[in-house]
Amino acid sequence: MQGRKDYTEKLFISFQLSNRVPKENLYRRLRETLDLSFLYKDTKELYGNTGNPSIDPVVFFKLLLTGYLENITSDRKLLEHCGMRMDVLYFLGFDIDEDLPWHSTISRTRQLYPTSLFETLFSKVFALCVNSGMVSGHTQAIDSAPIKANASMESVVLKVPATSVESHLKKVSEENPETTKNQDVTTSSVTVTAPEHHLKRVEKHHQNLRDNRVGAVGASHEKAQLLSNKTHYNPHDPDARISVKPGKARKLNYHCSMAVDSAEGVISHIQADFADGRDSQYLTNISLHVQNRLKKNELVMTDLLADAGYSNGSNYKFLEERKITGWIPVFGKYKHEIEGFPYNKKKDEYTCPMNKPLPFTSFYTNKDGAVMKNYWASTKDCKACPMKSSCAPNIACRKITRTIYDEQYLRAYSRQQTKRGKQMKKLRQSTVEPVFGSLTQFYGLRKIGVLGKLGAHKVMLMAAIAFNLKKYLKKGGRKPSSGIFEAAIESFQSCQVIFRANILNIFNVYHFS
C-alpha cells in the first residue's frame, strides 16, 4: 500500500532550541566558547540616552560571524539564511518566533562602529588561539592579494578639478602670476594628481599598447588597459584602485595584506590597503603590528617569511634593526655582483677590467625617491682605455650606480642561497598561500561588498576572525590546563631519581656479594 504523509501545521506550546541543537554543533560550541560581553562597554559611547533601542552589539557581531562562516556576503541573504537555521538562531539568542533585525540595520551599524572595535575582537580571538597552544610566534609568513572592490571599470571617469576647468585654471593663474606669466594657459588642459614622470610612464605604456594591439580595435579589454590610477578614478568608490595580476583582467581592487603564524596557520594580522601600492611598502607596518600583538601575548618574532615582492633595501635594514631574520628573496633585477668589476669593501670602490679604480663619489636621489651611490672612473683613465668603445661608448667615463642598502641586499641574497633559505621558501608557500585560498573561497573574501578602505578593512578583519575561530574550535576550543608541562617535568625527574636509586642498590648488592 502506498503511503502518503498528511501535513497539518501545529502550534507547539513546549519547545526549546537548546534541546534541538546537538552538543557538537559548531554554533553551539561557539556560543559556549566566545564571550562578547566586552562589546557593551566598548560601544556605550556610540549611543545616546534617548530614542529607539538599537541592535544588540553582540547580536550584530554574531550575525557578521555567521555570514563569514557560511560564506554569505549579502546582508539580505544572511538574514534569510539565519531565519531558517535553528542552530544559528540559538547562537544569536533568538527564538523561532522572534523577528531578526532588518538588513539595512546591519549596514548602518557596520558604518557606525569604528575599526578599532573590530581589531579588538580580532586580538581577543587571536589570544584564544595563543592560550590553546596554536601559535608559536617566532616564525611569521606574510603575503598579499588583490580583492575585488564593489565598483566597476565601466564607471571610471577622468580625474579633473572639483570645480570647472575654466574657473580652476583662472584661480591657478591668479595665485601663481609669476609661473603663468609667460605660459599660454588654455581651457583644454586638465590637472591630475600625479607627478610628471609618472604620467610620462603611463603615456609610454599606452603608446606601446596602441602600437601592439592584441585584439580588435575598440575591444573592451583595450579600453581597460588604457586606464590608469594616475588619470582615472571611480566616483562610486574612490578608494578602489585599478590593479592587475598576470593572466587576469584589470579590475578595481583593494590590497589585502596578511601575516600567518607558521605553527598551525593562525592569522596574526590582516589589513586593507590601496591596490596601486607595492607589497614592499607595507612590510614595515605589518611587522610592527604583528610584533606588538605577539608581545602582548608574551611571544617574540624572530623570522619573517615573504616573497620577492617585499624585497626592498629599507625593509632589510628595518628587520635587521629589530633583530628579525628576513627570509625574503632578492628582487630579480638586483645584481649581487657586476661582472668584470670586483668590489673592494674596505676602500668602497670598484675595479674595472683594466685594473683602474672606480671610487665612490656622491649620493643622488632618483625620481622615485630612492637614494643611490655613484662610483665614477677617472675621465683620464677611460679616455686612454682601449675598451672604452664597448665599456662606456656614449659617456666620457664609466659609472656604476648602486643602492645604499647594498650590504643588506647581499646578506639577504646569501641567506636565499642556503639550504635553510630554500626550506623557508617552501614553508612560506605551505603556510600563507593556503590561508588566502580558504578566505577567498569559503569565508566571503572573494569580493568586498562595502565601500571605502575602512569598510574593506572591517570585512577582512571579520573574515580572519571567522577563520581563526573555526580553527580554534577544530583544535578543541579549550585552554590547556595550567601546570601540565611543569607536572610532567617533575614526574620525569622523580622517575630519574628512582631509577638511579634502583641501579645503585643493584650495584651494591652485586659488589658486596
Side-chain angles (χ1 to χ4, degrees), residues 325-504:
T325 304
W327 300 95
I328 306 173
V330 173
F331 189 64
K333 292 184 178 180
Y334 174 80
K335 296 180 180 179
H336 67 282
E337 62 180 7
I338 301 177
E339 187 176 356
F341 289 81
Y343 176 69
N344 188 325
K345 182 178 180 181
K346 186 176 181 179
K347 294 182 179 181
D348 193 15
E349 68 177 19
Y350 287 87
T351 304
C352 75
M354 300 302 293
N355 204 28
K356 299 296 182 180
L358 282 79
F360 164 71
T361 56
S362 62
F363 294 99
Y364 91 99
T365 304
N366 61 17
K367 292 181 179 180
D368 292 326
V371 181
M372 312 295 288
K373 296 176 70 175
N374 284 331
Y375 296 84
W376 288 90
S378 171
T379 306
K380 181 180 178 181
D381 293 336
C382 284
K383 189 175 182 181
C385 180
M387 297 180 62
K388 185 180 185 305
S389 59
S390 59
C391 183
N394 301 321
I395 54 178
C397 57
R398 178 62 187 262
K399 180 183 75 169
I400 294 177
T401 302
R402 302 292 285 180
T403 174
I404 60 172
Y405 302 109
D406 202 38
E407 293 184 5
Q408 287 82 1
Y409 270 107
L410 289 173
R411 284 193 287 268
Y413 180 81
S414 300
R415 286 195 296 269
Q416 179 184 346
Q417 306 306 314
T418 62
K419 182 179 179 180
R420 193 183 178 198
K422 297 177 181 179
Q423 292 174 346
M424 288 298 190
K425 180 181 178 181
K426 294 181 180 179
L427 178 62
R428 177 190 62 80
Q429 293 173 341
S430 62
T431 298
V432 66
E433 293 180 6
V435 176
F436 258 122
S438 297
L439 290 180
T440 55
Q441 297 297 325
F442 307 112
Y443 291 88
L445 211 58
R446 183 182 291 273
K447 179 181 178 180
I448 303 295
V450 299
L451 302 178
K453 186 165 77 84
L454 290 178
H457 185 47
K458 295 175 184 177
V459 168
M460 294 176 188
L461 282 169
M462 290 306 303
I465 290 169
F467 178 87
N468 284 348
L469 272 176
K470 197 166 185 179
K471 189 173 283 290
Y472 172 72
L473 291 178
K474 284 183 178 179
K475 180 72 175 179
R478 298 180 182 87
K479 181 179 178 181
S481 302
S482 59
I484 291 180
F485 184 70
E486 292 79 359
I489 292 178
E490 291 179 1
S491 176
F492 177 74
Q493 290 175 345
S494 61
C495 290
Q496 280 186 321
V497 173
I498 295 172
F499 178 76
R500 289 172 182 171
N502 290 335
I503 292 294
L504 183 61

Side-chain angles (χ1 to χ4, degrees), residues 110-343:
R110 186 189 290 109
Q111 297 174 14
L112 170 67
Y113 288 167
T115 309
S116 58
L117 189 62
F118 292 78
E119 292 176 346
T120 300
L121 179 57
F122 176 84
S123 297
K124 287 186 177 294
V125 173
F126 181 75
L128 286 176
C129 297
V130 172
N131 294 335
S132 63
M134 299 169 59
V135 180
S136 62
H138 53 76
T139 305
Q140 302 291 319
I142 65 173
D143 202 356
S144 64
I147 307 297
K148 179 72 172 66
N150 189 15
S152 172
M153 288 287 290
E154 302 298 327
S155 304
V156 296
V157 296
L158 188 67
K159 287 183 177 179
V160 296
T163 58
S164 66
V165 176
E166 294 180 0
S167 60
H168 174 75
L169 294 175
K170 182 179 179 181
K171 183 178 180 181
V172 170
S173 61
E174 291 175 354
E175 294 180 355
N176 304 275
E178 296 181 0
T179 58
T180 58
K181 185 177 181 179
N182 299 321
Q183 296 178 1
D184 182 18
V185 180
T186 61
T187 58
S188 61
S189 60
V190 178
T191 302
V192 294
T193 56
E196 183 178 355
H197 68 283
H198 286 179
L199 296 178
K200 288 182 179 179
R201 291 178 187 172
V202 172
E203 180 58 31
K204 184 178 180 182
H205 174 66
H206 289 177
Q207 190 60 44
N208 291 335
L209 292 173
R210 296 188 190 100
D211 296 340
N212 303 284
R213 299 184 186 276
V214 178
V217 178
S220 59
H221 74 275
E222 178 186 354
K223 177 183 176 182
Q225 286 182 326
L226 295 177
L227 299 177
S228 169
N229 293 306
K230 308 296 181 185
T231 57
H232 293 77
Y233 80 105
N234 187 291
H236 179 63
D237 188 359
D239 287 347
R241 297 288 189 272
I242 302 171
S243 67
V244 61
K245 289 195 71 174
K248 295 187 178 180
R250 288 193 169 206
K251 294 180 180 179
L252 287 165
N253 297 320
Y254 282 100
H255 189 274
C256 177
S257 300
M258 183 171 62
V260 179
D261 186 81
S262 62
E264 295 195 28
V266 175
I267 300 174
S268 55
H269 180 70
I270 194 168
Q271 66 182 44
D273 297 297
F274 295 118
D276 56 348
R278 297 178 179 177
D279 291 349
S280 57
Q281 71 187 67
Y282 302 124
L283 182 137
T284 301
N285 187 45
I286 297 171
S287 302
L288 290 174
H289 277 89
V290 173
Q291 272 196 313
N292 292 335
R293 184 167 288 117
L294 292 173
K295 185 177 180 180
K296 291 179 181 178
N297 291 277
E298 300 180 355
L299 296 174
V300 179
M301 177 172 62
T302 58
D303 297 271
L304 186 67
L305 318 179
D307 58 20
Y310 292 89
S311 175
N312 185 291
S314 58
N315 288 340
Y316 291 136
K317 183 180 179 182
F318 167 80
L319 294 175
E320 289 179 1
E321 290 176 346
R322 301 189 75 85
K323 299 180 180 180
I324 300 173
T325 304
W327 300 95
I328 306 173
V330 173
F331 189 64
K333 292 184 178 180
Y334 174 80
K335 296 180 180 179
H336 67 282
E337 62 180 7
I338 301 177
E339 187 176 356
F341 289 81
Y343 176 69

Side-chain angles (χ1 to χ4, degrees), residues 44-58:
K44 187 176 181 180
E45 296 181 353
L46 300 175
Y47 298 99
N49 298 322
T50 59
N52 294 326
S54 69
I55 182 175
D56 189 315
V58 174

